[in-house]
Amino acid sequence: MKKYLLPSIKLTIVLIVLFAVAYPLFIAAVAKFAPGKGDGVTVKKDGKVVGYALVGQNFTEDKYFWSRPSAANYNAASSAGSNKGPSNEDYLKTVQDRIDTFLVHNPGMKISDIPAELVTASGSGLDPDISPRAAEVQIPRIAKARNISEEKIKQLVKENTKGPLLGLFGPSTINVLQLNVALDGLK
Amino acid sequence: MNTEITGVVFTYGLTLLLAIPLGKYIAKVFKGEKTWSDFMSPMERLFYKIAGINPNEEMNWKQHLKALLTINAVWLIYAFFVLLFQDKLPLNPDGNAAQTPDLAFNTAISFLVNCNLQHYSGETGATYFTQLFVITFLQFVSAATGIAALIVLFKALKDKTTTKLGNFWVIFTKTNTRLLLPLCIVMAIILAFNGTPASYAAKDNIVTLQGDSVGVSRGPAAGMIAIKHIGTNGGGWFGVNSAHPLENPNYVTYITEMVAQVIIPIAMIFALGFFIQRKRFAYVIFGVMTVGMLILLIPTMQAEIAGSPAIAKLGVVQPTGAMEGKEVRFGPAATGYWNIVTTIISTGSINSMHDSAMPQSGLMMLLGMMVNCFYGGCGVGILNYFIFIIIAVFISGLMVGRTPEFMGHKVEAREVKIAAIIALLHPFLILVGTALSSYVLSHNLGADWAVKPGNWLNNPGYHGFSEMLYEYTSSAANNGSGFEGLGDNNIFWNVSTGFVLLLGRFLPIIGPVAIAGLLANKKYIPESAGTLRTDTVTFGLMTFAVIAILTALSFFPSLALGPIAEYFSMY
């Protein structure tokens, strides 16, 4: 074994320098040219940072579009999913509670109007998006809370909808934070 | 077809399109032919010089394994101690604590064996230093170890009779410099330009639009996320892995990460064909593996798109399928595809919480890891498949009443014994581990561990059993994904899975390399009319049958107690 030990140690040191020092430094240097300079892309409102574009936030007020439920309470220093199994009775009660809360805040909506994503927790606990359908069911509530016409909000949702990649691949999404920032900008 | 299905089809198609030329390139590199990457050779020669390696020295299979095991032992000791003292080392801007000895033991082994059990969360359980100097480093070299072992097998199959199988250090170094590093640089840059953090900036604290104060963890993540997929390791920078919006920001990165994790495993199959100049043999292997993947993939995607029957009963609609534990930007189809790919190829990165998947999907993911050779991890996938080939050759030989032969070499008692031991090791580790944890749990020994046995499970009943079964299956397959509800950061799980990981890694590398080395040593028998041909569809079916029967016999009872029982309780 001794024959192999010295080359092992020396080769290890060389490769640590290559992979743990040179490689990440090189990527960090290239990322300086990327949006956000490799620090993450922030969203500003009136010149003040209100969040990261890719990281979801918690919204509980009626005047905002709500994001999905989160097992991490939208704290991006400790991402987490619920890890609840599909047959877990306690979990199903939690979902039922979320349905009830949603109906209280959105009078006039039926249970069958609610898409499941609004009452189930995301994988990361930081899901920044909702689907167009999940935005649609919230429009009447927001229109009432803000005293703006539903048409105007519908238009805003449409403008903030990101279609499938190249129109061909993947689902349509809406970034909730950016939509709400735009909503605050409506007069 | 809707855009979610086309997304999956496109992703797989793109993978194949890139894997074939990559396979050709890999074969060229290891044959020593001219390639575009020859500009790396001065750097490689410098490495050999510093390390005191004679690159022209040929090794036999035993010397290869000695070199492989020695350097792995060095990494294990190094990684363990760095993790243990990470709080005292630099590059810890968030002030994270040291890992406990049992956690450091588990983490070091886990990454050494190209697995990512990660009984900690990246945001709080590791520092920038350990993420780079231990984890990123091991993600490169452990992948290169698996590939190097496979190249030894390639060389053994190529020549008629030989003991000279190349130089381990050279094959290993070239895997790093010619294959892993260039692919990772391209991928890390794609990620960085799509919003993945790459700088050394510390955690940020912000006030949200609605006025909440939250933290946002960051760091030089892009490089690690690239190698975690290229090297099929899967260990995430952040706790929730590629479900995290910074680790996997959009559909472009989804496609990139999905292609990246399966491209080397598929390319290695084609490389085998080019390297030993038996393309048909490689195509048959590719065909069997692809059929295996589809058998697991289709029911999973179907179940996830259809949604949960328990949620449907509550009255809400599921236009985007079963959404618990999933992200809107991927949707159920792309998530189902990820679930299966990450389990068949031992990546273990996740873009959704597997614990929350439908029971059928859980079953298919478990099967993917139990078989562990439909494409399989970097290098080791084909090594695992090779074991099944040897068993199929042996059984076919018995059926026709001839001495079994493979590639012109007699397969005799010694080789078959090794193959049988390796094939049985996998179910042994999984079932004994699960039985042990079930015993500890049901007798609730009242042990004063960080997580007491009574609090291990995040879900009751059948699903709780699946959480334990999944953890040992993932460990034995060196996969690393988990039913993460399991409370696994305590001495019982850290130590028991640590040993399962080690045995599940090195024996299935030693076994196939030994068989290949022994075969290459034997007299070459030219092909005759009576030779069993291994490059036919019939032999492919035979191998598939061996895999299916061995898996069913070993695992059906445990699967019946977990996901199958849960399925019948829900549907």
Side-chain angles (χ1 to χ4, degrees), chain A residues 3 23 38-39 52 54 60 68 76 79 82-85 87-88 91 114 116 121 124 127 168 170, chain B residues 3 6 57 123 198-199 204 210 215 217-218 223 245 317 323-328 356 458-459 566:
Chain A
K3 182 171 175 251
Y23 167 67
D39 295 334
Y52 280 78
L54 293 171
T60 48
R68 300 183 56 202
S79 59
S82 74
N83 283 307
K84 292 296 180 194
S87 61
N88 186 329
Y91 155 67
I114 307 174
S124 62
D127 196 340
L168 293 171
Chain B
T3 54
T6 52
E57 184 196 341
E123 293 95 328
S199 77
D204 198 6
Q210 208 187 256
S217 291
R218 300 181 291 181
V317 287
M323 283 306 283
E324 183 70 35
K326 289 196 188 60
E327 301 279 301
V328 171
S356 301
N458 194 40
N459 292 285
E566 190 186 17

mmCIF file of all heavy atoms in Angstrom, chain A residues 3 23 38-39 52 54 60 68 76 79 82-85 87-88 91 114 116 121 124 127 168 170, chain B residues 3 6 57 123 198-199 204 210 215 217-218 223 245 317 323-328 356 458-459 566:
data_model
loop_
_atom_site.group_PDB
_atom_site.id
_atom_site.type_symbol
_atom_site.label_atom_id
_atom_site.label_comp_id
_atom_site.label_asym_id
_atom_site.label_seq_id
_atom_site.Cartn_x
_atom_site.Cartn_y
_atom_site.Cartn_z
ATOM 1 N N LYS A 3 3.386 2.053 -1.538
ATOM 2 C CA LYS A 3 3.716 2.481 -2.887
ATOM 3 C C LYS A 3 2.659 3.449 -3.432
ATOM 4 O O LYS A 3 2.951 4.317 -4.238
ATOM 5 C CB LYS A 3 3.815 1.233 -3.763
ATOM 6 C CG LYS A 3 4.193 1.520 -5.179
ATOM 7 C CD LYS A 3 4.489 0.237 -5.936
ATOM 8 C CE LYS A 3 4.747 0.574 -7.382
ATOM 9 N NZ LYS A 3 3.741 0.175 -8.302
ATOM 10 N N TYR A 23 -11.384 26.323 -9.625
ATOM 11 C CA TYR A 23 -12.667 26.169 -10.321
ATOM 12 C C TYR A 23 -13.760 27.117 -9.791
ATOM 13 O O TYR A 23 -14.322 27.889 -10.565
ATOM 14 C CB TYR A 23 -13.068 24.692 -10.269
ATOM 15 C CG TYR A 23 -14.480 24.352 -10.648
ATOM 16 C CD1 TYR A 23 -14.938 24.517 -11.954
ATOM 17 C CD2 TYR A 23 -15.372 23.825 -9.711
ATOM 18 C CE1 TYR A 23 -16.243 24.184 -12.305
ATOM 19 C CE2 TYR A 23 -16.661 23.483 -10.055
ATOM 20 C CZ TYR A 23 -17.101 23.669 -11.346
ATOM 21 O OH TYR A 23 -18.389 23.329 -11.677
ATOM 22 N N GLY A 38 -23.766 37.321 -9.731
ATOM 23 C CA GLY A 38 -23.503 36.112 -8.952
ATOM 24 C C GLY A 38 -23.934 36.213 -7.501
ATOM 25 O O GLY A 38 -23.794 35.265 -6.746
ATOM 26 N N ASP A 39 -24.493 37.380 -7.110
ATOM 27 C CA ASP A 39 -24.976 37.527 -5.728
ATOM 28 C C ASP A 39 -26.465 37.208 -5.603
ATOM 29 O O ASP A 39 -27.018 37.225 -4.513
ATOM 30 C CB ASP A 39 -24.765 38.966 -5.237
ATOM 31 C CG ASP A 39 -23.294 39.322 -5.147
ATOM 32 O OD1 ASP A 39 -22.478 38.404 -4.979
ATOM 33 O OD2 ASP A 39 -22.975 40.518 -5.247
ATOM 34 N N TYR A 52 -35.690 38.893 -3.386
ATOM 35 C CA TYR A 52 -34.939 38.293 -4.476
ATOM 36 C C TYR A 52 -35.922 37.771 -5.520
ATOM 37 O O TYR A 52 -36.940 37.161 -5.175
ATOM 38 C CB TYR A 52 -34.055 37.157 -3.948
ATOM 39 C CG TYR A 52 -32.794 37.678 -3.314
ATOM 40 C CD1 TYR A 52 -32.810 38.217 -2.041
ATOM 41 C CD2 TYR A 52 -31.592 37.671 -4.010
ATOM 42 C CE1 TYR A 52 -31.664 38.728 -1.466
ATOM 43 C CE2 TYR A 52 -30.441 38.179 -3.443
ATOM 44 C CZ TYR A 52 -30.475 38.708 -2.176
ATOM 45 O OH TYR A 52 -29.337 39.209 -1.620
ATOM 46 N N LEU A 54 -36.000 35.386 -7.519
ATOM 47 C CA LEU A 54 -36.287 33.958 -7.641
ATOM 48 C C LEU A 54 -36.838 33.345 -6.362
ATOM 49 O O LEU A 54 -37.243 32.199 -6.354
ATOM 50 C CB LEU A 54 -35.004 33.205 -8.037
ATOM 51 C CG LEU A 54 -34.453 33.505 -9.421
ATOM 52 C CD1 LEU A 54 -33.080 32.883 -9.585
ATOM 53 C CD2 LEU A 54 -35.391 32.959 -10.487
ATOM 54 N N THR A 60 -50.114 37.425 3.132
ATOM 55 C CA THR A 60 -51.316 37.049 3.864
ATOM 56 C C THR A 60 -52.404 38.110 3.726
ATOM 57 O O THR A 60 -53.566 37.853 4.018
ATOM 58 C CB THR A 60 -50.999 36.881 5.360
ATOM 59 O OG1 THR A 60 -50.244 38.026 5.782
ATOM 60 C CG2 THR A 60 -50.186 35.623 5.609
ATOM 61 N N ARG A 68 -47.903 30.147 -2.550
ATOM 62 C CA ARG A 68 -48.335 28.836 -2.084
ATOM 63 C C ARG A 68 -47.998 28.660 -0.604
ATOM 64 O O ARG A 68 -47.097 29.317 -0.086
ATOM 65 C CB ARG A 68 -47.628 27.761 -2.906
ATOM 66 C CG ARG A 68 -47.956 27.879 -4.386
ATOM 67 C CD ARG A 68 -47.314 26.767 -5.147
ATOM 68 N NE ARG A 68 -47.718 25.480 -4.607
ATOM 69 C CZ ARG A 68 -47.035 24.357 -4.778
ATOM 70 N NH1 ARG A 68 -45.903 24.373 -5.453
ATOM 71 N NH2 ARG A 68 -47.469 23.220 -4.261
ATOM 72 N N ALA A 76 -35.701 32.020 3.509
ATOM 73 C CA ALA A 76 -34.747 31.439 2.556
ATOM 74 C C ALA A 76 -33.394 31.161 3.194
ATOM 75 O O ALA A 76 -32.412 30.921 2.511
ATOM 76 C CB ALA A 76 -34.586 32.350 1.352
ATOM 77 N N SER A 79 -34.556 26.470 3.799
ATOM 78 C CA SER A 79 -35.551 25.918 2.890
ATOM 79 C C SER A 79 -36.024 24.555 3.383
ATOM 80 O O SER A 79 -35.267 23.819 3.993
ATOM 81 C CB SER A 79 -34.929 25.765 1.500
ATOM 82 O OG SER A 79 -33.793 24.921 1.559
ATOM 83 N N SER A 82 -42.703 19.989 3.263
ATOM 84 C CA SER A 82 -43.435 19.426 4.401
ATOM 85 C C SER A 82 -43.067 17.962 4.601
ATOM 86 O O SER A 82 -43.123 17.452 5.709
ATOM 87 C CB SER A 82 -44.932 19.521 4.153
ATOM 88 O OG SER A 82 -45.328 18.556 3.176
ATOM 89 N N ASN A 83 -42.713 17.275 3.505
ATOM 90 C CA ASN A 83 -42.457 15.838 3.534
ATOM 91 C C ASN A 83 -43.623 15.041 4.082
ATOM 92 O O ASN A 83 -43.448 13.984 4.678
ATOM 93 C CB ASN A 83 -41.187 15.527 4.332
ATOM 94 C CG ASN A 83 -39.947 15.843 3.522
ATOM 95 O OD1 ASN A 83 -39.809 15.382 2.392
ATOM 96 N ND2 ASN A 83 -39.065 16.654 4.069
ATOM 97 N N LYS A 84 -44.820 15.556 3.884
ATOM 98 C CA LYS A 84 -45.998 14.803 4.309
ATOM 99 C C LYS A 84 -46.373 13.804 3.224
ATOM 100 O O LYS A 84 -46.407 14.136 2.039
ATOM 101 C CB LYS A 84 -47.173 15.764 4.551
ATOM 102 C CG LYS A 84 -46.964 16.680 5.760
ATOM 103 C CD LYS A 84 -46.881 15.894 7.057
ATOM 104 C CE LYS A 84 -46.664 16.827 8.253
ATOM 105 N NZ LYS A 84 -46.265 16.070 9.446
ATOM 106 N N GLY A 85 -46.646 12.592 3.642
ATOM 107 C CA GLY A 85 -47.049 11.555 2.698
ATOM 108 C C GLY A 85 -48.491 11.762 2.262
ATOM 109 O O GLY A 85 -49.283 12.367 3.003
ATOM 110 N N SER A 87 -51.030 9.901 2.146
ATOM 111 C CA SER A 87 -52.125 9.244 2.873
ATOM 112 C C SER A 87 -52.199 9.685 4.338
ATOM 113 O O SER A 87 -52.984 9.149 5.108
ATOM 114 C CB SER A 87 -51.934 7.720 2.809
ATOM 115 O OG SER A 87 -50.701 7.372 3.423
ATOM 116 N N ASN A 88 -51.379 10.665 4.712
ATOM 117 C CA ASN A 88 -51.296 11.092 6.113
ATOM 118 C C ASN A 88 -52.545 11.893 6.516
ATOM 119 O O ASN A 88 -52.822 12.953 5.952
ATOM 120 C CB ASN A 88 -50.023 11.941 6.260
ATOM 121 C CG ASN A 88 -49.734 12.324 7.696
ATOM 122 O OD1 ASN A 88 -50.656 12.496 8.495
ATOM 123 N ND2 ASN A 88 -48.460 12.459 8.020
ATOM 124 N N TYR A 91 -52.053 15.486 7.749
ATOM 125 C CA TYR A 91 -51.726 16.356 6.619
ATOM 126 C C TYR A 91 -52.995 16.763 5.887
ATOM 127 O O TYR A 91 -53.189 17.938 5.546
ATOM 128 C CB TYR A 91 -50.759 15.624 5.689
ATOM 129 C CG TYR A 91 -50.776 16.082 4.258
ATOM 130 C CD1 TYR A 91 -50.321 17.362 3.922
ATOM 131 C CD2 TYR A 91 -51.268 15.264 3.245
ATOM 132 C CE1 TYR A 91 -50.351 17.790 2.601
ATOM 133 C CE2 TYR A 91 -51.294 15.681 1.941
ATOM 134 C CZ TYR A 91 -50.842 16.944 1.614
ATOM 135 O OH TYR A 91 -50.878 17.369 0.321
ATOM 136 N N ILE A 114 -60.816 26.122 -6.449
ATOM 137 C CA ILE A 114 -59.475 26.250 -5.873
ATOM 138 C C ILE A 114 -58.526 25.235 -6.508
ATOM 139 O O ILE A 114 -58.766 24.031 -6.420
ATOM 140 C CB ILE A 114 -59.498 26.010 -4.345
ATOM 141 C CG1 ILE A 114 -60.539 26.910 -3.688
ATOM 142 C CG2 ILE A 114 -58.115 26.252 -3.749
ATOM 143 C CD1 ILE A 114 -60.717 26.632 -2.207
ATOM 144 N N ALA A 116 -55.224 22.956 -6.516
ATOM 145 C CA ALA A 116 -54.565 22.311 -5.378
ATOM 146 C C ALA A 116 -53.281 23.013 -4.957
ATOM 147 O O ALA A 116 -52.915 23.014 -3.782
ATOM 148 C CB ALA A 116 -54.267 20.853 -5.711
ATOM 149 N N ALA A 121 -48.208 22.549 0.167
ATOM 150 C CA ALA A 121 -46.914 23.204 0.357
ATOM 151 C C ALA A 121 -45.965 22.831 -0.772
ATOM 152 O O ALA A 121 -45.961 21.702 -1.252
ATOM 153 C CB ALA A 121 -46.315 22.791 1.698
ATOM 154 N N SER A 124 -39.690 23.445 -1.979
ATOM 155 C CA SER A 124 -38.621 24.226 -1.364
ATOM 156 C C SER A 124 -39.125 25.058 -0.199
ATOM 157 O O SER A 124 -38.342 25.532 0.617
ATOM 158 C CB SER A 124 -38.001 25.155 -2.405
ATOM 159 O OG SER A 124 -38.977 26.050 -2.883
ATOM 160 N N ASP A 127 -41.270 28.519 -3.175
ATOM 161 C CA ASP A 127 -41.743 28.571 -4.557
ATOM 162 C C ASP A 127 -42.144 30.006 -4.909
ATOM 163 O O ASP A 127 -43.050 30.562 -4.304
ATOM 164 C CB ASP A 127 -42.935 27.623 -4.736
ATOM 165 C CG ASP A 127 -43.217 27.332 -6.201
ATOM 166 O OD1 ASP A 127 -42.770 28.116 -7.060
ATOM 167 O OD2 ASP A 127 -43.888 26.322 -6.487
ATOM 168 N N LEU A 168 -43.042 26.140 -26.099
ATOM 169 C CA LEU A 168 -43.150 24.698 -26.351
ATOM 170 C C LEU A 168 -42.991 23.825 -25.116
ATOM 171 O O LEU A 168 -43.605 22.772 -25.012
ATOM 172 C CB LEU A 168 -42.071 24.277 -27.358
ATOM 173 C CG LEU A 168 -42.189 24.815 -28.773
ATOM 174 C CD1 LEU A 168 -40.927 24.491 -29.559
ATOM 175 C CD2 LEU A 168 -43.400 24.206 -29.460
ATOM 176 N N GLY A 170 -42.716 23.012 -20.953
ATOM 177 C CA GLY A 170 -42.929 23.321 -19.550
ATOM 178 C C GLY A 170 -44.180 24.130 -19.298
ATOM 179 O O GLY A 170 -44.866 24.556 -20.223
ATOM 180 N N THR B 3 -47.529 21.102 -23.199
ATOM 181 C CA THR B 3 -46.144 21.586 -23.155
ATOM 182 C C THR B 3 -45.321 20.896 -22.071
ATOM 183 O O THR B 3 -44.100 20.896 -22.134
ATOM 184 C CB THR B 3 -46.116 23.095 -22.901
ATOM 185 O OG1 THR B 3 -46.867 23.373 -21.718
ATOM 186 C CG2 THR B 3 -46.693 23.861 -24.070
ATOM 187 N N THR B 6 -44.150 17.632 -23.814
ATOM 188 C CA THR B 6 -43.140 17.935 -24.832
ATOM 189 C C THR B 6 -41.822 18.327 -24.165
ATOM 190 O O THR B 6 -40.756 18.022 -24.681
ATOM 191 C CB THR B 6 -43.579 19.078 -25.769
ATOM 192 O OG1 THR B 6 -43.970 20.186 -24.977
ATOM 193 C CG2 THR B 6 -44.709 18.674 -26.677
ATOM 194 N N GLU B 57 3.540 3.419 -16.558
ATOM 195 C CA GLU B 57 3.539 2.136 -15.860
ATOM 196 C C GLU B 57 2.174 1.463 -16.003
ATOM 197 O O GLU B 57 1.149 2.028 -15.641
ATOM 198 C CB GLU B 57 3.845 2.385 -14.374
ATOM 199 C CG GLU B 57 3.966 1.124 -13.554
ATOM 200 C CD GLU B 57 3.884 1.411 -12.052
ATOM 201 O OE1 GLU B 57 4.087 2.579 -11.657
ATOM 202 O OE2 GLU B 57 3.591 0.469 -11.311
ATOM 203 N N GLU B 123 -27.654 25.068 4.184
ATOM 204 C CA GLU B 123 -27.632 26.461 4.632
ATOM 205 C C GLU B 123 -26.991 26.610 6.004
ATOM 206 O O GLU B 123 -26.381 27.627 6.315
ATOM 207 C CB GLU B 123 -29.056 27.034 4.701
ATOM 208 C CG GLU B 123 -29.758 27.181 3.363
ATOM 209 C CD GLU B 123 -30.642 25.991 3.039
ATOM 210 O OE1 GLU B 123 -30.302 24.862 3.454
ATOM 211 O OE2 GLU B 123 -31.661 26.190 2.362
ATOM 212 N N ALA B 198 -23.127 32.595 -7.352
ATOM 213 C CA ALA B 198 -21.795 32.047 -7.628
ATOM 214 C C ALA B 198 -20.724 32.816 -6.875
ATOM 215 O O ALA B 198 -19.562 32.444 -6.907
ATOM 216 C CB ALA B 198 -21.513 32.085 -9.124
ATOM 217 N N SER B 199 -21.098 33.897 -6.199
ATOM 218 C CA SER B 199 -20.095 34.696 -5.490
ATOM 219 C C SER B 199 -19.922 34.173 -4.064
ATOM 220 O O SER B 199 -20.663 33.301 -3.627
ATOM 221 C CB SER B 199 -20.533 36.150 -5.441
ATOM 222 O OG SER B 199 -21.523 36.307 -4.451
ATOM 223 N N ASP B 204 -27.902 37.005 3.100
ATOM 224 C CA ASP B 204 -28.469 38.346 3.101
ATOM 225 C C ASP B 204 -29.688 38.357 4.015
ATOM 226 O O ASP B 204 -30.342 37.335 4.203
ATOM 227 C CB ASP B 204 -28.877 38.719 1.671
ATOM 228 C CG ASP B 204 -29.064 40.222 1.506
ATOM 229 O OD1 ASP B 204 -28.768 40.963 2.471
ATOM 230 O OD2 ASP B 204 -29.496 40.640 0.419
ATOM 231 N N GLN B 210 -44.231 42.570 2.173
ATOM 232 C CA GLN B 210 -45.288 42.681 3.174
ATOM 233 C C GLN B 210 -44.733 43.053 4.548
ATOM 234 O O GLN B 210 -45.481 43.226 5.502
ATOM 235 C CB GLN B 210 -46.036 41.348 3.250
ATOM 236 C CG GLN B 210 -47.464 41.504 3.695
ATOM 237 C CD GLN B 210 -48.128 40.162 3.916
ATOM 238 O OE1 GLN B 210 -48.923 39.728 3.098
ATOM 239 N NE2 GLN B 210 -47.810 39.501 5.006
ATOM 240 N N GLY B 215 -34.090 35.724 6.046
ATOM 241 C CA GLY B 215 -32.741 35.578 5.520
ATOM 242 C C GLY B 215 -32.786 34.971 4.126
ATOM 243 O O GLY B 215 -33.763 34.328 3.765
ATOM 244 N N SER B 217 -30.070 32.654 2.063
ATOM 245 C CA SER B 217 -28.754 32.018 1.989
ATOM 246 C C SER B 217 -28.244 32.031 0.555
ATOM 247 O O SER B 217 -29.020 31.873 -0.386
ATOM 248 C CB SER B 217 -28.840 30.574 2.486
ATOM 249 O OG SER B 217 -29.088 30.566 3.867
ATOM 250 N N ARG B 218 -26.918 32.227 0.424
ATOM 251 C CA ARG B 218 -26.312 32.273 -0.913
ATOM 252 C C ARG B 218 -24.969 31.544 -0.887
ATOM 253 O O ARG B 218 -24.786 30.637 -0.092
ATOM 254 C CB ARG B 218 -26.098 33.737 -1.324
ATOM 255 C CG ARG B 218 -27.379 34.527 -1.380
ATOM 256 C CD ARG B 218 -27.140 35.953 -1.809
ATOM 257 N NE ARG B 218 -26.414 36.715 -0.790
ATOM 258 C CZ ARG B 218 -26.090 37.999 -0.924
ATOM 259 N NH1 ARG B 218 -26.422 38.649 -2.018
ATOM 260 N NH2 ARG B 218 -25.437 38.640 0.034
ATOM 261 N N GLY B 223 -20.915 26.280 -9.218
ATOM 262 C CA GLY B 223 -19.934 25.257 -9.557
ATOM 263 C C GLY B 223 -20.282 23.912 -8.954
ATOM 264 O O GLY B 223 -20.158 22.866 -9.601
ATOM 265 N N PRO B 245 -35.346 27.442 -5.536
ATOM 266 C CA PRO B 245 -35.379 28.319 -6.713
ATOM 267 C C PRO B 245 -34.028 28.939 -7.075
ATOM 268 O O PRO B 245 -33.864 29.376 -8.209
ATOM 269 C CB PRO B 245 -36.398 29.400 -6.346
ATOM 270 C CG PRO B 245 -36.615 29.284 -4.887
ATOM 271 C CD PRO B 245 -36.271 27.893 -4.481
ATOM 272 N N VAL B 317 -59.612 21.244 -7.175
ATOM 273 C CA VAL B 317 -59.233 20.688 -8.474
ATOM 274 C C VAL B 317 -57.715 20.606 -8.576
ATOM 275 O O VAL B 317 -56.996 21.361 -7.914
ATOM 276 C CB VAL B 317 -59.788 21.544 -9.638
ATOM 277 C CG1 VAL B 317 -61.272 21.334 -9.765
ATOM 278 C CG2 VAL B 317 -59.445 23.007 -9.456
ATOM 279 N N MET B 323 -49.554 18.433 -6.174
ATOM 280 C CA MET B 323 -48.622 19.554 -6.003
ATOM 281 C C MET B 323 -47.913 19.587 -4.658
ATOM 282 O O MET B 323 -47.044 20.415 -4.450
ATOM 283 C CB MET B 323 -49.343 20.885 -6.231
ATOM 284 C CG MET B 323 -49.575 21.205 -7.703
ATOM 285 S SD MET B 323 -48.064 21.146 -8.700
ATOM 286 C CE MET B 323 -47.304 22.698 -8.252
ATOM 287 N N GLU B 324 -48.292 18.729 -3.717
ATOM 288 C CA GLU B 324 -47.574 18.744 -2.438
ATOM 289 C C GLU B 324 -46.107 18.399 -2.696
ATOM 290 O O GLU B 324 -45.800 17.387 -3.329
ATOM 291 C CB GLU B 324 -48.191 17.739 -1.458
ATOM 292 C CG GLU B 324 -47.544 17.733 -0.079
ATOM 293 C CD GLU B 324 -47.846 18.992 0.739
ATOM 294 O OE1 GLU B 324 -48.965 19.525 0.618
ATOM 295 O OE2 GLU B 324 -46.953 19.456 1.487
ATOM 296 N N GLY B 325 -45.211 19.269 -2.210
ATOM 297 C CA GLY B 325 -43.781 18.991 -2.378
ATOM 298 C C GLY B 325 -43.246 19.292 -3.757
ATOM 299 O O GLY B 325 -42.097 18.979 -4.050
ATOM 300 N N LYS B 326 -44.076 19.869 -4.637
ATOM 301 C CA LYS B 326 -43.594 20.197 -5.983
ATOM 302 C C LYS B 326 -43.536 21.702 -6.194
ATOM 303 O O LYS B 326 -44.126 22.467 -5.456
ATOM 304 C CB LYS B 326 -44.511 19.578 -7.033
ATOM 305 C CG LYS B 326 -44.396 18.085 -7.125
ATOM 306 C CD LYS B 326 -45.011 17.590 -8.422
ATOM 307 C CE LYS B 326 -45.074 16.083 -8.424
ATOM 308 N NZ LYS B 326 -45.868 15.535 -7.322
ATOM 309 N N GLU B 327 -42.841 22.079 -7.267
ATOM 310 C CA GLU B 327 -42.692 23.484 -7.614
ATOM 311 C C GLU B 327 -43.492 23.776 -8.872
ATOM 312 O O GLU B 327 -43.503 22.972 -9.813
ATOM 313 C CB GLU B 327 -41.216 23.802 -7.853
ATOM 314 C CG GLU B 327 -40.327 23.513 -6.646
ATOM 315 C CD GLU B 327 -40.349 24.627 -5.609
ATOM 316 O OE1 GLU B 327 -39.992 25.760 -5.960
ATOM 317 O OE2 GLU B 327 -40.733 24.360 -4.454
ATOM 318 N N VAL B 328 -44.122 24.952 -8.907
ATOM 319 C CA VAL B 328 -44.977 25.307 -10.041
ATOM 320 C C VAL B 328 -44.186 25.369 -11.347
ATOM 321 O O VAL B 328 -44.667 24.967 -12.398
ATOM 322 C CB VAL B 328 -45.690 26.651 -9.768
ATOM 323 C CG1 VAL B 328 -46.410 27.154 -11.012
ATOM 324 C CG2 VAL B 328 -46.672 26.495 -8.618
ATOM 325 N N SER B 356 -43.489 13.135 -0.470
ATOM 326 C CA SER B 356 -44.873 13.532 -0.738
ATOM 327 C C SER B 356 -45.398 13.000 -2.060
ATOM 328 O O SER B 356 -46.511 13.326 -2.454
ATOM 329 C CB SER B 356 -44.985 15.064 -0.725
ATOM 330 O OG SER B 356 -44.579 15.575 0.521
ATOM 331 N N ASN B 458 -42.015 10.795 9.972
ATOM 332 C CA ASN B 458 -42.796 11.998 9.739
ATOM 333 C C ASN B 458 -44.210 11.643 9.317
ATOM 334 O O ASN B 458 -45.068 12.507 9.234
ATOM 335 C CB ASN B 458 -42.115 12.821 8.638
ATOM 336 C CG ASN B 458 -42.642 14.228 8.563
ATOM 337 O OD1 ASN B 458 -42.885 14.853 9.586
ATOM 338 N ND2 ASN B 458 -42.847 14.717 7.359
ATOM 339 N N ASN B 459 -44.433 10.365 9.016
ATOM 340 C CA ASN B 459 -45.744 9.924 8.557
ATOM 341 C C ASN B 459 -46.060 8.590 9.203
ATOM 342 O O ASN B 459 -45.167 7.773 9.412
ATOM 343 C CB ASN B 459 -45.749 9.754 7.028
ATOM 344 C CG ASN B 459 -45.626 11.092 6.315
ATOM 345 O OD1 ASN B 459 -46.567 11.863 6.251
ATOM 346 N ND2 ASN B 459 -44.438 11.373 5.808
ATOM 347 N N GLU B 566 -49.775 1.121 0.851
ATOM 348 C CA GLU B 566 -50.287 2.494 0.873
ATOM 349 C C GLU B 566 -51.163 2.753 -0.354
ATOM 350 O O GLU B 566 -52.207 3.405 -0.264
ATOM 351 C CB GLU B 566 -49.128 3.505 0.922
ATOM 352 C CG GLU B 566 -49.620 4.924 1.203
ATOM 353 C CD GLU B 566 -48.521 5.978 1.114
ATOM 354 O OE1 GLU B 566 -47.457 5.699 0.544
ATOM 355 O OE2 GLU B 566 -48.748 7.092 1.619
#
